[in-house]
Amino acid sequence: MIIAPSLLAADCTRLGKEAERAGRSGADWLHLDIMDGHFVPNISFGPAIVAAVRPRAKKLFFDVHLMCSKPEILLEPFVEAGADEIIVHVELGDRVAPLLWKIRSLGRKVGLAVNPLTSIGKVQSFLDKIDLLLVMTVNPGYGGQSFIHECLPKIQQADAWRRERTLSYRLAVDGGINYSTVAECAHAGADTFVAGTALFRQPNLRAAVQKMRKIAHANDPALADLKV
Ligand code: DX5
Ligand code: ZN
């Protein structure tokens, strides 16, 4: 089970300190949401911020999620900034295959994301080319939105394909993940959990990560009532 706090929900006046806090929290990854104001109706941060926080959390795996219309021009800058994995969206259509190939050729892990309104069938032909499939459980663009329960069957389907085809991509969920929805997603087959608001907004991030991990492992919604 991988727990990946999303820096989008951190205190943006002190991103360096927040990255350090994530580094000390027992989390495995730091998730970095890159929004370009075109693919999604919001703007977040770019390679300079990722490069600046990279040395503050040396042990964390940097998971860069590109919600961008032109990822082609951003792959090299994010690799140089310290990305360990780069995720692009399947909604980019014909451009997906060359993008996945390019990320691989840059020596980074390859991720593919699918929006709530996009059929899960669209990812099927790429499953043997990726290290991670990110099932979006909110419409991308903002942190703090409510989990869309209708996405759960997509997780089950992606998990079934993984077993049927003996593939080993990670199955990640992103958006509205909290102590209750993490259990539902784990039950559906997810093994990688991106959470912004539910983790960074807790004063004790370490305890919050530990609790989320425990619930994901136990795969039992009843544990969601545990006190942090
Ligand atoms: C949504 C982003 C998410 C976001 C999740 O557009 O891709 O990674 O940070 O935030 P929460 O956990 O607050 O829904
Ligand atoms: Zn994300």
Side-chain angles (χ1 to χ4, degrees), residues 47 50-51 54 74-83 86 106 108:
V50 174
R54 175 73 273 193
L74 295 169
L75 300 180
E76 271 140 350
F78 278 107
V79 165
E80 276 160 37
I86 300 184
L106 289 168
R108 295 303 182 270

Side-chain angles (χ1 to χ4, degrees), residues 22-192:
R24 290 192 306 267
S25 71
D28 309 279
W29 292 7
L30 188 64
H31 185 82
L32 300 131
D33 285 306
I34 313 303
M35 303 178 180
D36 66 350
H38 188 266
F39 186 82
V40 289
N42 196 7
I43 295 177
S44 58
F45 47 82
I49 298 286
V50 174
V53 300
R54 175 73 273 193
R56 305 292 192 100
K58 291 202 177 85
K59 284 187 298 188
L60 294 181
F61 178 95
F62 268 36
D63 183 37
V64 172
H65 177 191
L66 296 182
M67 286 161 275
C68 302
S69 294
K70 283 194 187 176
E72 291 83 356
I73 60 171
L74 295 169
L75 300 180
E76 271 140 350
F78 278 107
V79 165
E80 276 160 37
D84 293 300
E85 170 166 271
I86 300 184
I87 302 170
V88 293
H89 269 260
V90 74
E91 291 77 16
L92 295 169
D94 291 349
R95 289 151 58 208
V96 172
L99 280 163
L100 301 182
W101 178 86
K102 179 77 189 193
I103 299 167
R104 180 80 64 210
S105 75
L106 289 168
R108 295 303 182 270
K109 296 278 190 196
V110 179
L112 183 64
V114 55
N115 280 341
L117 290 173
T118 304
S119 150
I120 190 70
K122 297 268 187 221
V123 305
Q124 219 174 345
S125 61
F126 302 112
L127 294 177
D128 58 349
K129 296 172 184 65
I130 59 175
D131 299 297
L132 172 137
L133 179 68
L134 184 76
V135 175
M136 290 303 304
T137 44
V138 298
N139 289 307
Y142 299 92
Q145 303 182 74
S146 297
F147 182 84
I148 301 172
H149 282 87
E150 286 74 12
C151 298
L152 284 168
K154 293 165 93 171
I155 304 166
Q156 288 165 336
Q157 178 64 78
D159 184 40
W161 283 332
R162 184 165 57 169
R163 273 182 277 112
E164 281 159 22
R165 296 173 57 181
T166 56
L167 294 169
S168 56
Y169 52 85
R170 301 205 69 88
L171 184 45
V173 284
D174 184 7
I177 300 301
N178 55 35
Y179 300 135
S180 150
T181 55
V182 74
E184 294 179 69
C185 293
H187 188 68
D191 52 52
T192 303

